[in-house]
Amino acid sequence: MEQDQAALSRAELYSRIEKVLGAGSRYKVHHLSTRPTKSDALFAAPPATRPQRTFCESHFLTLSLPSTSIESATSSASQSEPGHVFIFAIEILVYTTASLTTLFVSKADSTGHLPSSPPQPRQSPIRPLTSTFVTWLAESRQRPGIPLVVSLFARAQDQYLFPGSVDHGAKHVLDDRQLVKWWCKTLDPVLRLHSDHAYTTRAHVIVPGFDSYETTQFFPTSHRSDPTDNRKWRHGHPLLEIAPNPSAPPRCLVPHFPDDPKARYLDELDAEIPDSQPSQSFFSPSKKGNGMWKSIRTLDQFWDTMAFRQECSSGRMVGFVWLVFTPTQPTVQSLEDYVTNLTPATSFSADDLLGADQVFSSQESAGQPSEATKSSPRKSLRRKKLSGPIIPRQPKIKSSSSNLSSRSDKSSSKEWPEKGRGQIVLDHSSYTRVHDLLLRLDFSDVKAATASTRKWLGEVPAITSPAADWGNEVTGAVSTADQTAVAGQAATPTSGQVNDLSGILVRKKRKKADDEAQSPAVVNAPAVNVLGAAMIRKKPKVSDP
């Protein structure tokens, strides 16, 4: 039954991809994923608490073309064996906790081997494929009443996943500004096509070193059609909305993603805390104090200083983008569930838990210790003296070393639904193995890329089963005219909305009267606002003496 649902889900993904690709184009899609495994928490835990239980699953999607179509388009007779050539790949990590689902776009890269001449379409398939895959994965990982976040950072680099791809010269590498704009434009359909009455959607963008007005230049053009009181794209961050404890110290509000510029900054700032360790389990109140950094006291200071980091300065810039899907009717969490999710270091009663919450007041988050902390930081956490007979507990023996073995099948299925799984599902170690293999291959030319693609596609199924082939062929069904019409509709405001032309008004040189009389464009020009006679003050004419 699970395999049938997974197959139907993949068929839906392939159908969606075919509807956004150019007509007549033939590609092959490969999708693999991992089982959810226990990982480090995204948010550091406040003092006296343990990190949230967090599980992570990886998704890797590739798009390839037959090598013969690339060689014929480039007019280079090849001596390589027939096969497929990767043209694009994207990796997305899905983090799941009891209160949040996070889709982190880890890496995305192209090889530059996509031919620009017929029979390939004029529009690149990379952007619509990325939008479709992120939308499909977000829909399959949404849980009722639980917020979902799509997060990424855009940093320009020659190559991320395909070594040597920049050497053949046909790869178009975007600079930092173009890359941030590209991602905002790519994620805009995810934000708008997925909005419904059950969720409110917002997009947040921060480019360290750029103010609110300067950041709007990276927004997609469709944001101008939004009502002024309900803008989908905004400058800023949603960390206070998605953090498990908004009143905690700033270090507990910034997520810690792998290979993330702000994650490296977090590690450096954590060294300011006494007895700090690389682990994120800062739950000892005696050693970690109030969990505050010495140099950075607020989130605003954190983002201001990010602009001076090496990743965001020296002529380069990095954009941080979030898509936040907030349920209109969130799930109300009981006190028992809240205590279970915190997993405190000691046994807490309900009264003790309320006292511990007071430690992380708004004053402490701003750098000022609260009165409860000044008077007796341990008073609320002190256990009552026990009395009565001592009944020893029986030891529990784990039946398996799997992270999910101690949990029921029902709870595991909720965190790992059948929908959204890859065609091949690997464990974490096998996934790391094939991921590292890709980083050791060569994509410097078509011949080398064909051999590298064949080797990687043969390595993945060999780990699980001796399957000869995997992947699914997709054929584009959208004509160039339809793609242009869809793009025009996305950029055109709907009726009843006001065009926001701020920042795009251009003053043109006024034509002469003779040219205006002879120009046919004046007849077809759009109507302009004409000021009434009462609105114009004419200079009084002086009569001749």
Side-chain angles (χ1 to χ4, degrees), residues 240-263:
L240 292 176
E241 304 174 17
I242 64 178
N245 192 346
S247 61
R251 65 177 300 273
C252 306
L253 306 177
V254 183
H256 195 287
F257 293 112
D259 193 26
D260 190 355
K262 63 179 182 296

Side-chain angles (χ1 to χ4, degrees), residues 116-394:
S116 57
S117 58
Q120 295 301 321
R122 297 171 59 184
Q123 184 178 356
S124 172
I126 294 178
R127 176 180 290 149
L129 173 71
T130 304
S131 302
T132 303
F133 181 57
V134 175
T135 303
W136 173 80
L137 193 58
E139 290 177 352
S140 64
R141 289 298 174 265
Q142 271 192 340
R143 294 174 292 169
I146 303 297
L148 182 139
V149 176
V150 178
S151 176
L152 66 87
F153 69 92
R155 179 180 58 190
Q157 190 167 313
D158 293 340
Q159 52 196 21
Y160 272 103
L161 294 170
F162 301 109
S165 58
V166 73
D167 297 335
H168 59 80
K171 184 176 182 178
H172 179 56
V173 181
L174 301 178
D175 58 27
D176 47 8
R177 292 175 177 268
Q178 293 174 339
L179 185 62
V180 177
K181 290 182 179 180
W182 187 90
W183 272 114
C184 291
K185 188 175 181 179
T186 301
L187 294 178
D188 188 62
V190 184
L191 185 73
R192 299 183 184 279
L193 294 180
H194 201 66
S195 60
D196 51 28
H197 297 291
Y199 291 87
T200 58
T201 58
R202 290 287 185 275
H204 304 262
V205 181
I206 277 188
V207 180
F210 286 69
D211 58 20
S212 177
Y213 178 77
E214 294 172 332
T215 307
T216 56
Q217 64 179 305
F218 303 104
F219 293 171
T221 55
S222 59
H223 89 280
R224 302 190 185 100
S225 62
D226 294 334
T228 56
D229 58 344
N230 188 21
R231 297 290 192 187
K232 292 291 185 181
W233 288 86
R234 300 181 179 183
H235 169 263
H237 62 82
L239 299 183
L240 292 176
E241 304 174 17
I242 64 178
N245 192 346
S247 61
R251 65 177 300 273
C252 306
L253 306 177
V254 183
H256 195 287
F257 293 112
D259 193 26
D260 190 355
K262 63 179 182 296
R264 288 185 286 272
Y265 191 27
L266 289 174
D267 295 337
E268 294 181 11
L269 291 175
D270 286 343
E272 302 176 359
I273 303 177
D275 299 331
S276 60
Q277 298 177 359
S279 174
Q280 298 188 27
S281 57
F282 295 141
F283 58 86
S284 175
S286 60
K287 293 183 178 180
K288 304 307 173 185
N290 59 1
M292 293 291 296
W293 295 319
K294 294 181 179 180
S295 57
I296 305 298
R297 313 297 292 183
T298 63
L299 280 179
D300 292 337
Q301 292 180 358
F302 175 84
W303 288 110
D304 290 341
T305 53
M306 272 293 297
F308 300 96
R309 299 283 298 173
Q310 183 179 1
E311 297 92 341
C312 307
S313 58
S314 63
R316 302 180 61 184
M317 50 167 280
V318 176
F320 297 90
V321 185
W322 298 268
L323 303 185
V324 182
F325 301 90
T326 306
T328 55
Q329 296 180 353
T331 301
V332 180
Q333 205 172 32
S334 63
L335 181 61
E336 181 181 359
D337 295 336
Y338 181 66
V339 176
T340 303
N341 293 332
L342 285 180
T343 317
T346 57
S347 299
F348 284 2
S349 64
D351 296 336
D352 294 334
L353 185 60
L354 295 177
D357 286 343
Q358 296 175 358
V359 177
F360 310 112
S361 61
S362 58
Q363 295 180 354
E364 185 181 4
S365 63
Q368 301 176 0
S370 62
E371 295 298 332
T373 307
K374 291 180 180 179
S375 59
S376 57
R378 289 170 169 264
K379 184 176 181 180
S380 60
L381 305 179
R382 189 176 303 167
R383 297 180 60 183
K384 297 180 180 180
K385 186 177 180 180
L386 301 178
S387 60
I390 299 177
I391 303 176
R393 296 180 180 178
Q394 297 296 327

Side-chain angles (χ1 to χ4, degrees), residues 479-493:
S479 63
T480 306
D482 294 337
Q483 291 178 339
T484 306
V486 172
Q489 292 176 2
T492 304

Side-chain angles (χ1 to χ4, degrees), residues 404-477:
L404 300 178
S405 60
S406 60
R407 311 168 68 186
S408 63
D409 296 337
K410 184 177 181 180
S411 61
S412 300
S413 62
K414 288 182 179 180
E415 295 191 0
W416 193 42
E418 295 81 9
K419 295 181 60 178
R421 299 183 186 181
Q423 182 180 1
I424 293 182
V425 178
L426 303 176
D427 55 30
H428 180 71
S429 59
S430 300
Y431 178 84
T432 304
R433 171 184 167 185
V434 297
H435 185 276
D436 294 342
L437 172 63
L438 185 64
L439 302 180
R440 296 193 300 267
L441 299 177
D442 182 18
F443 294 88
S444 57
D445 53 49
V446 177
K447 182 177 180 180
T450 304
S452 298
T453 303
R454 184 186 304 109
K455 182 176 182 179
W456 191 86
L457 292 178
E459 182 71 16
V460 174
I463 297 177
T464 56
S465 61
D469 190 20
W470 66 295
N472 189 84
E473 292 186 357
V474 294
T475 303

